[in-house]
Amino acid sequence: MEKFTILIMGGSQGAHSLNELVSNAIVQMDRDLRNKLQIVHIAGPKDCDTISRIYKENGVISRTFVFMDNIHDAYNVCDLAISRAGAAAIYELALYRRPMILIPYPFSKNNQRYNAEYFAGKNAAIYKEEKDLTSAELKNLIQELVGDKRRLEELSERAGEMRCTDAAGKLAGEILSMTTN
């Protein structure tokens, strides 16, 4: 049986509170569901060993990384991503048409909240505020999504509509238009 793969990313330095929230949600799942999952968790340098140990102690099939050089490998295999809402991450996930749960950086002075709201408003992601989300609620959301292929396909399709396949060309065009005016 093919495993349902969940990718968890907290940004280049990791995100301690996100790492705890998601790993707790996963280990709270019943064993039958956990056996259908495999986890790819980019936990950052401070939490990598701890998160890896939590999964191992709870029988979760997982690979935990400090950082991933070939992130496209993770995007290619994941069925669902749980991520902060940095622009680079969410547009990369959109490029790969991946369904995503976005949990933006929780502090007020950042654009991640706007990114998550924008994607959720287009039905390209599920947006949750960390302060309003418990591990039990996240567990329930993940369980619902794992069992709802139609919803995952919908999120994938909408995410794909958000992708920008010619970002470099558009940026070059903007720069050129600014220098010629």
Side-chain angles (χ1 to χ4, degrees):
M1 179 181 171
E2 191 171 310
K3 300 285 186 185
F4 186 95
T5 303
I6 301 174
L7 170 64
I8 299 120
M9 322 186 287
S12 60
Q13 297 302 308
H16 180 72
S17 57
L18 182 73
N19 290 337
E20 284 187 329
L21 178 69
V22 178
S23 62
N24 286 335
I26 290 167
V27 300
Q28 288 176 18
M29 292 177 182
D30 85 13
R31 184 169 299 281
D32 288 340
L33 179 59
R34 278 199 326 248
N35 288 337
K36 295 176 184 175
L37 303 178
Q38 62 184 1
I39 307 301
V40 177
H41 195 139
I42 305 169
K46 294 177 184 169
D47 287 342
C48 189
D49 291 339
T50 301
I51 297 300
S52 181
R53 188 179 68 252
I54 289 169
Y55 289 143
K56 186 175 184 175
E57 289 172 355
N58 288 281
V60 177
I61 298 167
S62 64
R63 293 285 310 269
T64 308
F65 300 89
V66 170
F67 180 82
M68 187 174 279
D69 289 321
N70 297 317
I71 190 68
H72 62 349
D73 292 341
Y75 293 151
N76 275 322
V77 301
C78 80
D79 297 297
L80 173 67
I82 302 172
S83 178
R84 287 295 192 213
I90 62 176
Y91 278 98
E92 287 173 357
L93 287 164
L95 181 66
Y96 285 83
R97 298 175 186 257
R98 294 301 176 233
M100 54 190 113
I101 299 171
L102 299 177
I103 305 170
Y105 184 68
F107 300 102
S108 61
K109 296 200 177 197
N110 73 79
N111 291 323
Q112 289 194 15
R113 183 170 291 110
Y114 302 116
N115 296 342
E117 287 172 348
Y118 182 72
F119 266 63
K122 301 286 186 179
N123 294 317
I126 296 169
Y127 161 45
K128 297 290 182 183
E129 281 288 339
E130 187 174 307
K131 67 180 176 52
D132 300 327
L133 187 62
T134 67
S135 57
E137 291 166 333
L138 181 58
K139 173 196 79 151
N140 292 336
L141 176 58
I142 294 167
Q143 287 177 174
E144 287 172 23
L145 289 171
V146 169
D148 191 347
K149 188 174 182 173
R150 174 180 272 165
R151 178 73 171 127
L152 290 169
E153 288 172 354
E154 218 174 76
L155 287 166
S156 294
E157 186 177 317
R158 298 292 177 265
E161 292 170 4
M162 302 295 291
R163 67 192 185 142
C164 181
T165 58
D166 186 30
K170 288 179 180 180
L171 181 58
E174 287 295 317
I175 292 170
L176 287 174
S177 74
M178 290 172 25
T179 59
T180 57
N181 290 333

